[in-house]
Amino acid sequence: MPQGDEPTGRRLVKVTGIVQGVGFRPFVYNLALGLNLSGHVFNHSAGVDIEVEGTQDSLARFETDLTRLAPPLAHIISVTSAVIPPTGDKGFRITESDSGGAKTALIAPDSDVCEDCLRELFDPVDRRHRYPFINCTNCGPRFTIVEAIPYDRPNTTMASFVMCADCRAEYENPADRRFHAQPIACPVCGPKVTLLDSAFNPVEATDAVRGAARLLSEGAILAIKGIGGYHLACDAENEEAVLKLRARKRRDEKPFAVMTPDIETLRLFAEVNEREAAILQSRPHPITLVKKLQPDALGPCAPSNRYLGAMLPYSPLHHLLFDGKPYNALVMTSANLSDEPIVYTEDEAKEKLAGIADYFLIHNRPIHNKADDSIEKVMSHGPVVIRRSRGYTPVPIQLDREYPPTLAVGAELKNAFCLIKGDKAYLSAHMGDLKYESALESFRFGVSRLMEILDISNPAVVAHDMHPNYLSTAFAEEFPCERKVAVQHHHAHLVSLMAERHHTGQAIGVVFDGTGYGLDGTIWGGEFLVGDAAGFERHGTITPIPLIGGDAAIKEPYRIALGILFGMYGENLPPLPIEWLNNMEPARLALLRQAYYKKINVFYSSGMGRLFDAVSALIGVRPKASFEGQSAMELEMAVANGYHGEYPFIIGGDVNPANLDFTPTFERIVEEMKNGERAPVIAARFHETVAQSATAMVKRISGTTGLKDVFLSGGVFQNTVLSDRLGTLLETDGFAVFRHGRVPPNDGGVALGQAVIAARTLV
Ligand SMILES: [Zn+2]
Ligand SMILES: [Zn+2]
Ligand SMILES: [Zn+2]
């Protein structure tokens, strides 16, 4: 390397973060060549190692540009550089991966197809014209196809596909966009799609994707294998097809996600603001909640819902299905039965979707790690991930320090588990509702797969919820590890948010949630906590309300409303303008009254979610729900615009926890109903009351503790009206308010808090 008389040096540069499978080595190669540096680069089990030799100027420039110009999917966490003796080698090479050492390299999440690949996909002379598996180092599947690290083709589900000469040439050419693109494929050597009928027999079609698109446009229901699992799809504007899918999937009202070819088409059905458009087009391409233009837009896709869960095409296959725009929107819902886990193998598809899909569009690239579509909602403080899966896993959350390996098994509904390795926490993809055997099975499987991928053989501690009946608790108890830590549910919520926001030290936590097992064995969920990962104190809670029939009240919130009415009026209720109550069979009312007074299967809960359910039922918005949380959700949607005032409440008690009592609120609501007040106005006043009362409670706690940092966590904070209003009130009073972003506020985030709390006991 002719450098004149300039002094040369050699450096060993170590890069960690998401630097494998994102075109990082070719980037380094081109950067080094451009600066006339010699040396080599290779994937290491902890990241990427580079040795570079050349002039001091070029070496300095190399290190600056390394982070400044890194490829789009790369996520650099650290760069360290050490001076080593020059060797006088010539040229720059990409050398074999070194698979020894501690396996701490990060795997990239799956990415949407890039602009360059899209252009080739629709270019009639390109050799990958209309090829559904087109990808490059800047895009394509990653985590869902990885079996082990380092991320190299033999460690992915592409291992069985032997590259053709053309692909091999691109793969080995450092100037090519597909240089070392591990999932590289083409129509000659790569995976293929096949169209099958309901009995899994091949359907005659010259082009399987065109055939599938035609069937969809004719009203058929298709099971389509995607990136992280199967979708069930049909034309979203074809009411008959959507209703048929609902009936077959046994899903009465829970919204279906829809996919439109682009934002302009989505705007036919919904308002999409700039921030929502940015989320829809972001690399993870999550399902994003957008407000419908008309309440009945895409009718049965999301009945009685003001929002539409929408997403844009993210895989090449999706783009092909929308080619020529045979429909404006497709239902694209996770293929499963009700709340069971997403189907991701052909065997499962055949077994479980046979009665649902008319046709199957499958392919032969195996999915190793399944992942549902992620779901996001834009609130005033920023986007909030409600379901964290494809496109986000396995991006870790950076912790404040290193911890021994830790497993946290999460809660039960919306389960996700979490593993800590070193100074990073890996929250798993959405596992679903663990009370289903199939979900539990996939949870077990998921835990062992992620442990394998992260090379954790034996966690030092296993964290679980305090709830004795959660199946995740049972799993933790049986897990072969000496040390177990039972974590209080709402403490875990608080710490999950503190970990996300990199906060250490004591703070006030407002945890508004559905259900969680309390330290005293009762059901908690409207909690004002003070603490951190080391522990907590319960400074306030809402006065428990009765749930007649226990868990039955979750789907039939009128039972909660009825309990509140008995509490207010005694057993002989006066005439009230409540439709469901006046229509109730006298015998049924007598039965519920008896249950209430004899305390038969009546539980008391301080869950804020149940309070929202109760008010929703009381004012007739949704007395009976078809899925958990529906009543509370529709109460939020009913809220009238503008400020309408608030109701009285009481904060009482001299010892911790103080009680927040909404009895005067209920009394005023019933009074207003008698006076004919509209439900949207009552809903608005109720939201205002909760925000005002929570602010009053926080001020009281701050008065005794001096704390000014407030963390808002728990499933109820998916409620935008409440989250925005409470945030504003607290900030106006001088508090620093922290809310969720990338970690879900609901039980999908609990495992992170559990993990940090348990890991903390070891250091
Ligand atoms: Zn690409
Ligand atoms: Zn090929
Ligand atoms: Zn919870």
Side-chain angles (χ1 to χ4, degrees):
M1 200 172 295
Q3 301 293 343
D5 293 332
E6 277 185 77
T8 62
R10 192 174 181 91
R11 288 185 198 173
L12 171 63
V13 182
K14 288 177 173 289
V15 189
T16 68
I18 298 174
V19 287
Q20 296 188 3
V22 294
F24 203 78
R25 287 174 303 168
F27 155 70
V28 169
Y29 175 90
N30 287 309
L31 187 63
L33 282 189
L35 291 167
N36 224 355
L37 295 167
S38 65
H40 63 118
V41 56
F42 60 98
N43 273 351
H44 190 270
S45 48
V48 165
D49 280 10
I50 311 158
E51 285 189 28
V52 272
E53 187 167 330
T55 65
Q56 297 300 341
D57 275 1
S58 301
L59 288 172
R61 193 53 200 286
F62 176 82
E63 283 184 23
T64 323
D65 287 354
L66 192 65
T67 42
R68 196 173 64 89
L69 304 175
L73 296 188
H75 177 73
I76 295 176
I77 290 176
S78 75
V79 179
T80 57
S81 167
V83 174
I84 54 170
T87 65
D89 60 354
K90 298 276 179 276
F92 196 89
R93 288 167 301 129
I94 293 177
T95 48
E96 279 300 302
S97 295
D98 171 6
S99 57
K103 292 183 179 167
T104 54
L106 304 184
I107 300 157
D110 301 281
S111 157
D112 62 321
V113 58
C114 75
E115 289 298 322
D116 290 331
C117 286
L118 259 188
R119 201 170 354 88
E120 292 167 350
L121 182 66
F122 291 106
D123 177 358
V125 300
D126 193 274
R127 70 186 193 91
R128 292 189 180 83
H129 179 229
R130 295 186 60 84
Y131 181 57
F133 303 92
I134 189 167
N135 68 80
C136 71
T137 54
N138 299 323
C139 76
R142 293 292 184 273
F143 177 64
T144 52
I145 61 165
V146 169
E147 295 170 347
I149 47 177
Y151 172 75
D152 275 330
R153 190 160 168 119
N155 285 340
T156 71
T157 61
M158 285 299 292
S160 61
F161 296 94
V162 179
M163 275 182 234
C164 68
D166 288 339
C167 286
R168 165 78 47 199
E170 292 169 333
Y171 184 84
E172 290 174 352
N173 176 7
D176 197 280
R177 207 174 80 247
R178 297 194 169 84
F179 179 57
H180 283 236
Q182 308 303 346
I184 189 173
C186 79
V188 175
C189 67
K192 290 180 174 47
V193 290
T194 317
L195 186 60
L196 304 172
D197 67 14
S198 60
F200 247 61
N201 296 315
V203 173
E204 277 295 324
T206 42
D207 181 323
V209 182
R210 281 208 170 95
R214 202 197 60 241
L215 290 165
L216 285 166
S217 69
E218 288 167 356
I221 294 170
L222 267 75
I224 300 173
K225 187 178 178 185
I227 302 291
Y230 275 76
H231 282 116
L232 283 164
C234 69
D235 180 351
E237 288 186 293
N238 183 331
E239 215 172 291
E240 202 187 317
V242 179
L243 290 173
K244 194 165 65 176
L245 177 55
R246 277 208 182 279
R248 291 186 189 170
K249 213 177 167 227
R250 290 184 244 146
R251 190 160 173 170
D252 296 341
E253 288 179 310
K254 209 166 174 178
F256 284 147
V258 297
M259 183 180 273
T260 60
D262 44 49
I263 292 200
E264 295 72 67
T265 313
L266 178 55
R267 286 191 169 126
L268 297 175
F269 312 109
E271 282 171 35
V272 185
N273 65 34
E274 288 309 305
R275 295 201 299 166
E276 287 154 351
I279 295 296
L280 281 159
Q281 293 167 301
S282 64
R283 299 300 321 222
H285 268 53
I287 295 170
T288 307
L289 300 180
V290 288
K291 207 173 223 165
K292 290 179 185 172
L293 289 181
Q294 313 289 340
D296 61 349
L298 293 179
C301 291
S304 46
N305 202 317
R306 268 194 205 175
Y307 290 86
L308 209 52
M311 62 182 152
L312 300 179
Y314 55 86
S315 79
L317 180 62
H318 298 152
H319 285 276
L320 292 173
L321 285 169
F322 278 103
D323 184 31
K325 223 171 161 185
Y327 21 69
N328 282 319
L330 286 177
V331 165
M332 287 290 258
T333 181
S334 294
N336 54 12
L337 275 176
S338 52
D339 293 322
E340 290 190 40
I342 188 168
V343 165
Y344 73 114
T345 66
E346 283 59 74
D347 286 349
E348 271 185 313
K350 200 171 169 181
E351 182 199 324
K352 297 194 168 170
L353 307 178
I356 302 179
D358 299 315
Y359 297 92
F360 292 81
L361 186 63
I362 68 161
H363 63 73
N364 58 343
R365 182 177 68 197
I367 297 168
H368 188 74
N369 304 299
K370 65 176 179 172
D372 284 82
D373 295 309
S374 294
I375 306 178
E376 286 190 53
K377 185 175 186 184
V378 175
M379 298 198 187
S380 67
H381 73 282
V384 178
V385 175
I386 288 170
R387 183 166 78 195
R388 191 179 181 279
S389 263
R390 180 191 50 74
Y392 284 112
T393 45
V395 180
I397 292 112
Q398 184 66 39
L399 302 176
D400 60 318
R401 52 162 295 161
E402 297 232 346
Y403 291 100
T406 301
L407 167 65
V409 298
E412 181 148 278
L413 290 171
K414 298 188 171 96
N415 180 278
F417 60 90
C418 182
L419 281 161
I420 292 182
K421 182 170 184 179
D423 60 357
K424 293 176 184 65
Y426 298 82
L427 201 49
S428 78
H430 168 79
M431 291 285 133
D433 183 351
L434 289 198
K435 66 176 184 283
Y436 292 98
E437 188 50 47
S438 55
L440 190 63
E441 206 175 293
S442 92
F443 164 83
R444 282 197 195 100
F445 198 55
V447 169
S448 64
R449 281 203 166 166
L450 195 59
M451 279 177 55
E452 213 173 288
I453 289 170
L454 295 173
D455 198 27
I456 295 175
S457 52
N458 217 344
V461 60
V462 176
H464 60 85
D465 198 278
M466 276 185 175
H467 202 302
N469 301 333
Y470 279 179
L471 292 173
S472 55
T473 303
F475 171 88
E477 277 164 359
E478 286 162 22
F479 196 89
C481 169
E482 291 269 301
R483 195 178 173 97
K484 311 279 163 67
V485 174
V487 180
Q488 201 282 318
H489 188 84
H490 306 102
H491 184 209
H493 270 299
L494 167 61
V495 176
S496 77
L497 178 54
M498 289 179 139
E500 181 186 0
R501 299 299 179 196
H502 310 294
H503 186 97
T504 49
Q506 299 255 311
I508 299 170
V510 179
V511 186
F512 286 171
D513 206 24
T515 298
Y517 198 80
L519 291 180
D520 56 5
T522 68
I523 307 165
W524 291 11
E527 307 305 316
F528 297 84
L529 310 179
V530 169
D532 57 18
F536 75 99
E537 277 176 28
R538 194 187 194 201
H539 279 241
T541 183
I542 65 173
T543 304
I545 51 173
L547 313 183
I548 303 176
D551 277 351
I554 291 175
K555 282 205 173 172
E556 295 177 349
Y558 69 83
R559 291 165 175 268
I560 316 174
L562 192 60
I564 289 170
L565 292 172
F566 285 138
M568 279 164 58
Y569 295 105
E571 59 184 306
N572 295 313
L573 299 179
L576 295 166
I578 300 172
E579 207 181 301
W580 54 263
L581 183 61
N582 297 331
N583 290 340
M584 196 182 285
E585 296 277 329
R588 174 147 185 82
L589 182 60
L591 195 78
L592 292 170
R593 182 191 290 120
Q594 196 186 21
Y596 177 80
Y597 281 100
K598 297 201 165 158
K599 303 268 178 268
I600 304 163
N601 205 14
V602 175
F603 293 92
Y604 282 79
S605 161
S606 63
M608 183 56 92
R610 298 291 91 85
L611 198 76
F612 274 77
D613 281 348
V615 172
S616 179
L618 189 64
I619 67 174
V621 170
R622 176 62 66 170
K624 206 170 162 181
S626 71
F627 56 91
E628 200 240 351
Q630 185 185 20
S631 295
M633 194 180 81
E634 291 185 12
L635 184 68
E636 178 195 353
M637 290 178 196
V639 168
N641 288 332
Y643 177 77
H644 298 273
E646 66 190 87
Y647 299 122
F649 56 87
I650 301 167
I651 293 181
D654 293 329
V655 288
N656 289 341
N659 274 305
L660 175 51
D661 187 349
F662 289 103
T663 307
T665 307
F666 301 134
E667 285 167 357
R668 190 68 70 79
I669 288 175
V670 175
E671 229 168 84
E672 289 192 346
M673 287 172 75
K674 287 184 188 162
N675 295 335
E677 186 57 278
R678 293 182 313 122
V681 173
I682 298 178
R685 287 180 186 145
F686 174 69
H687 277 74
E688 182 68 19
T689 308
V690 173
Q692 294 283 358
S693 63
T695 305
M697 186 69 107
V698 166
K699 280 159 91 171
R700 182 184 160 120
I701 296 168
S702 177
T704 57
T705 60
L707 296 169
K708 283 291 195 187
D709 293 337
V710 185
F711 287 73
L712 310 184
S713 188
V716 173
F717 285 109
Q718 287 166 202
N719 181 321
T720 309
V721 176
L722 177 66
S723 171
D724 287 357
R725 183 64 180 149
L726 179 54
T728 306
L729 289 173
L730 289 170
E731 277 164 359
T732 309
D733 274 316
F735 290 98
V737 180
F738 299 85
R739 280 168 284 194
H740 283 277
R742 292 293 161 90
V743 174
N746 57 47
D747 284 4
V750 156
L752 173 62
Q754 290 178 345
V756 173
I757 290 165
R760 185 74 174 52
T761 64
L762 298 172
V763 295

